[in-house]
Amino acid sequence: EAQVTQNPRYLITVTGKKLTVTCSQNMNHEYMSWYRQDPGLGLRQIYYSMNVEVTDKGDVPEGYKVSRKEKRNFPLILESPSPNQTSLYFCASSPLPGQSSLDGYTFGSGTRLTVV
Amino acid sequence: ILNVEQSPQSLHVQEGDSTNFTCSFPSSNFYALHWYRWETAKSPEALFVMTLNGDEKKKGRISATLNTKEGYSYLYIKGSQPEDSATYLCAFMSRGGADGLTFGKGTHLIIQP
């Protein structure tokens, strides 16, 4: 089954304790991205990647890091989490725009992160 | 940051009625407009990807239109059913897609039996 797998689904952590949220896709998509969802603010892009070793900042990258060492994986790293990073996070993947204009993004199931 | 607006923010519709809502986006540098359906406790699922001015797409009782010159898209639901209750997101893609999608805040649709 074609899917984007995110782990964990839920995470409660303390301020300053480094954490990684994993994202893996099995559709051979070049494009992957991370979004956060906050009440009243909609989905906001954190980082995105158009291919292996190519990553770019989205609209809200502060406090986050990403890596794209393999095509299928795009982990989100919070080096020193703070309470304002409490949010619902989604990973998404798609073919590169222009390769298939009919495909939307495929989203992972989400990670609800609480930083206390 | 690109401005993508959706209205209304929320909508209560009687079962069986038809409804529509709006997405407005920048009319310059247009590349694509996406619509997603997002049910509670699930992840967003793609409904339509629209690229050409005047595009009309349909999936069952749901359809969408696109006007890139004036920067708006409408989503229509005919004969609403309780299972249509969800948040509907639109997302704008510009510059050949290099920056990814910018999402609106969504229209939260509740169908009342």
Side-chain angles (χ1 to χ4, degrees):
Chain A
E1 182 192 349
Q3 59 185 0
V4 176
T5 303
Q6 267 182 256
N7 281 298
R9 289 291 303 271
Y10 302 92
L11 179 60
I12 300 175
T13 190
V14 296
T15 299
K17 185 176 180 183
K18 181 179 177 179
L19 67 92
T20 299
V21 184
T22 62
C23 174
S24 180
Q25 51 94 4
N26 62 1
M27 295 164 282
N28 202 37
H29 286 165
E30 286 82 8
Y31 187 91
M32 297 184 75
S33 63
W34 277 102
Y35 287 84
R36 61 178 287 175
Q37 162 71 22
D38 301 291
L41 294 177
L43 283 165
R44 294 181 294 167
Q45 187 168 241
I46 302 169
Y47 268 95
Y48 62 96
S49 168
M50 299 192 81
N51 217 324
V52 175
E53 302 293 0
V54 179
T55 63
D56 280 293
K57 295 177 181 179
D59 295 323
V60 288
E62 295 79 20
Y64 304 95
K65 284 173 58 175
V66 291
S67 69
R68 188 91 183 272
K69 294 186 177 132
E70 308 162 281
K71 197 172 188 179
R72 62 184 292 124
N73 295 324
F74 191 45
L76 180 70
I77 303 153
L78 285 72
E79 294 270 3
S80 182
S82 62
N84 65 10
Q85 292 178 297
T86 293
S87 188
L88 176 60
Y89 292 86
F90 284 102
C91 179
S93 75
S94 76
L96 276 177
Q99 286 186 349
S100 176
S101 63
L102 298 181
D103 290 348
Y105 284 13
T106 301
F107 282 84
S109 51
T111 295
R112 187 165 289 283
L113 172 66
T114 303
V115 184
V116 298
Chain B
I1 296 179
L2 299 168
N3 197 29
V4 179
E5 299 282 344
Q6 289 188 247
S7 63
Q9 201 171 19
S10 66
L11 191 53
H12 290 246
V13 173
Q14 208 65 32
E15 182 177 354
D17 287 352
S18 296
T19 187
N20 66 84
F21 27 93
T22 309
C23 172
S24 63
F25 52 86
S27 54
S28 57
N29 290 322
F30 177 85
Y31 188 80
L33 193 283
H34 292 210
W35 281 100
Y36 291 82
R37 172 193 161 84
W38 188 7
E39 292 181 73
T40 303
K42 294 187 178 179
S43 47
E45 292 183 348
L47 283 173
F48 304 115
V49 175
M50 310 177 81
T51 57
L52 298 175
N53 185 43
D55 245 357
E56 288 190 33
K57 299 234 173 174
K58 188 174 180 181
K59 187 182 286 189
R61 294 178 292 98
I62 303 177
S63 61
T65 61
L66 178 67
N67 183 324
T68 61
K69 295 190 188 308
E70 295 182 46
Y72 65 84
S73 175
Y74 293 128
L75 190 81
Y76 300 89
I77 301 178
K78 189 176 175 183
S80 304
Q81 300 297 309
E83 59 266 27
D84 295 329
S85 296
T87 296
Y88 291 84
L89 301 170
C90 73
F92 172 74
M93 184 178 280
S94 66
R95 271 200 338 117
D99 297 333
L101 286 174
T102 298
F103 282 84
K105 294 177 184 177
T107 292
H108 184 51
L109 177 65
I110 297 168
I111 308 300
Q112 296 167 321

